[in-house]
């Protein structure tokens, strides 16, 4: 059916039935699957509400409903990036400890995939957590009545929560270390997939300016090792006197390490390299990668903890408790 406005009407969800019947989503699940643990009058009320609203659970929803458990949708932009894999693993571990089911979606860092994912899971899960680039209006459209916890992004709509990443002091410490080591020509390999400079570039620029370091030696890099290598080559071609580089993330930094060797530059003697994220993978390269490191386990665990509080009506964690701060971790590359 098409509405008078010419657009498809919003699909009735299990949450709509729960609100109409005055029960929880889990109770709707039990009633629709003819479970014995609810009384007959409640079951009938749920069935009546479902019939009046025209609710028809999808095959996907029925598969989740039968598990009779809390189900979380976890949205990740790129599972090939070890950083997001580490965050996802932490969230899965925290959810498993609560007996929850987690459905993981990889949006391939594409806006259309992200919106498509929200359309699929927004009415099928009890809460949504993860990384999103879409607007809050779009998030609201597809997740009505479902708690949403954003990771690495500020929120402005009161019903959303955010796990914020604060790397400003860590990046400042990285620049301070490089200056103390005698570096005065410090470049940056930033993420090139955004229209605006990344917040990490802003942190770098602020720290570099505080030490009188030129902040114009910045090259965009694809978020991959190959992208990091290509970006370092571009940077050193334009600024051959650069002796240190800070990168948007560790994957880009690992690519820069490989390219530095190919160009005959010894690390850290000829070129110091500091990444951002603190991936376990950084310990496996040679030399081991120095990084402004985040606690990825804390990122995932905080998201699940906040969801638990929102679902049970408990006191949600405040903004000061929803911050993961990055700290400089120096090893072999700087």
């Amino acid at each position: 059916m098409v509405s008078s406005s010419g657009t498809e009407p919003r699909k009735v969800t299990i949450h709509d039935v729960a609100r109409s019947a005055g029960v929880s989503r889990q109770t709707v699940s039990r009633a629709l699957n003819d479970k014995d643990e609810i009384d007959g009058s409640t079951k009938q009320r749920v069935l009546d509400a479902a019939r009046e609203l025209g609710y028809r659970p999808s095959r996907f929803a029925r598969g989740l409903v039968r598990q009779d458990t809390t189900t979380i949708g976890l949205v990740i932009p790129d599972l090939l990036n070890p950083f997001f894999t580490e965050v996802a693993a932490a969230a899965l571990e925290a959810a498993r400890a609560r007996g929850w089911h987690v459905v993981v979606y990889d949006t391939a860092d594409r806006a259309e995939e992200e919106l498509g994912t929200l359309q699929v899971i927004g009415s099928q899960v009890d809460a949504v957590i993860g990384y999103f680039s879409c607007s809050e209006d779009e998030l609201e459209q597809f997740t009505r009545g479902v708690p949403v916890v954003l990771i690495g992004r500020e929120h402005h709509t009161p019903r959303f929560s955010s796990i914020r990443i604060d790397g400003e002091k860590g990046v400042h410490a990285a620049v301070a270390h490089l200056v103390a080591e005698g570096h005065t020509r410090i470049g940056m390999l930033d993420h090139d997939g955004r229209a605006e400079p990344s917040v990490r570039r802003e942190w770098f620029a602020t720290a570099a300016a505080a030490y009188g370091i030129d902040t114009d030696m910045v090259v965009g890099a694809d978020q991959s090792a190959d992208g990091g290598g290509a970006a370092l080559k571009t940077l050193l071609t334009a600024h051959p006197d650069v002796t240190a580089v800070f990168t948007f993330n560790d994957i880009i930094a690992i690519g820069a390490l490989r390219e530095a060797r190919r160009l005959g530059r010894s690390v850290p003697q000829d070129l110091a390299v500091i990444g951002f994220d603190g991936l376990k993978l950084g310990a496996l390269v040679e030399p081991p990668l120095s990084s402004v490191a985040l606690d990825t386990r804390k990122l995932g665990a905080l998201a699940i903890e906040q969801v638990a509080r929102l679902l049970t009506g408990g006191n949600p964690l405040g903004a000061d408790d929803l911050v993961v701060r990055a700290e400089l971790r120096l090893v072999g590359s700087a």
Side-chain angles (χ1 to χ4, degrees):
M1 177 191 298
V2 177
S3 67
S4 59
S5 64
T7 60
E8 291 288 338
R10 186 175 73 86
K11 184 178 179 181
V12 176
T13 72
I14 194 171
H15 300 283
D16 296 324
V17 178
R19 283 192 291 270
S20 178
V23 298
S24 68
R25 185 198 71 88
Q26 286 83 357
T27 298
V28 174
S29 300
R30 296 185 184 106
L32 296 180
N33 286 277
D34 201 25
K35 300 289 185 180
D36 295 331
E37 56 263 39
I38 62 174
D39 65 64
S41 62
T42 301
K43 181 184 294 185
Q44 190 59 50
R45 190 165 75 250
V46 170
L47 295 176
D48 289 343
R51 184 174 58 255
E52 290 170 6
L53 293 171
Y55 174 65
R56 294 291 184 274
S58 68
R59 182 168 57 185
F60 170 76
R62 287 196 298 271
L64 296 181
V65 161
R66 289 194 181 109
Q67 296 186 51
D68 200 24
T69 186
T70 298
T71 302
I72 308 300
L74 172 59
V75 180
I76 297 295
D78 183 9
L79 281 172
L80 292 177
N81 184 325
F83 173 77
F84 296 119
T85 305
E86 288 187 13
V87 174
L92 287 166
E93 180 183 14
R96 190 181 303 117
R98 296 177 179 273
W100 291 358
H101 180 78
V102 178
V103 184
V104 181
Y105 288 87
D106 182 345
T107 65
D109 208 17
R110 295 201 297 265
E112 63 273 17
E113 289 290 336
E114 185 177 297
L115 290 177
T117 295
L118 283 171
Q119 285 179 304
V120 170
I121 69 170
S123 62
Q124 312 288 9
V125 298
D126 297 291
V128 175
I129 65 175
Y131 295 81
F132 298 95
S133 60
C134 64
S135 70
E136 292 191 6
D137 286 343
E138 289 169 320
L139 277 170
E140 175 67 26
Q141 176 185 354
F142 295 116
T143 62
R144 287 192 178 95
V146 176
V148 177
V149 178
L150 312 174
I151 303 177
R153 168 179 166 176
E154 298 281 357
H155 71 279
H156 303 285
T157 302
R159 83 169 194 85
F160 297 153
S161 291
S162 297
I163 311 297
R164 187 166 62 88
I165 292 173
D166 184 358
E168 187 169 11
K169 289 183 179 179
V171 173
H172 189 99
V175 173
H177 168 75
L178 293 173
V179 171
E181 291 293 306
H183 296 283
T184 59
R185 300 289 287 170
I186 305 171
M188 180 183 177
L189 307 183
D190 194 19
H191 175 22
D192 69 354
R194 299 189 175 96
E196 300 295 328
S198 69
V199 67
R200 297 177 190 183
R201 178 175 175 178
E202 294 175 5
W203 293 334
F204 170 74
T206 298
Y211 290 98
I213 302 296
D214 183 358
T215 60
D216 294 331
M217 296 178 292
V218 178
V219 173
D222 176 68
Q223 286 200 74
S224 65
D226 287 343
L232 180 68
K233 182 178 180 180
T234 299
L235 176 67
L236 294 180
T237 298
H239 305 283
D241 56 344
V242 164
T243 61
V245 63
F246 168 68
T247 68
F248 176 85
N249 64 19
D250 284 355
I251 294 299
I252 291 173
I254 288 170
L257 288 177
R258 184 176 62 188
E259 181 65 17
R261 286 195 299 270
R262 195 187 70 79
L263 294 174
R265 293 210 181 193
S266 177
V267 178
Q269 291 80 6
D270 301 327
L271 183 73
V273 179
I274 298 180
F276 190 107
D277 281 344
L279 297 180
K280 296 179 178 67
L281 182 62
L284 303 180
V285 298
E286 184 58 38
L289 179 64
S290 295
S291 184
V292 180
L294 289 165
D295 185 344
T296 53
R297 288 177 61 86
K298 186 176 181 181
L299 277 172
L302 272 179
I304 294 297
E305 173 63 24
Q306 184 71 331
V307 162
R309 293 177 180 233
L310 294 172
L311 287 175
T312 60
N315 292 325
L317 295 169
D320 290 342
D321 297 316
L322 294 172
V323 180
V324 177
R325 293 180 170 83
E327 298 181 351
L328 179 62
R329 184 186 299 161
L330 291 170
V331 282
S333 68

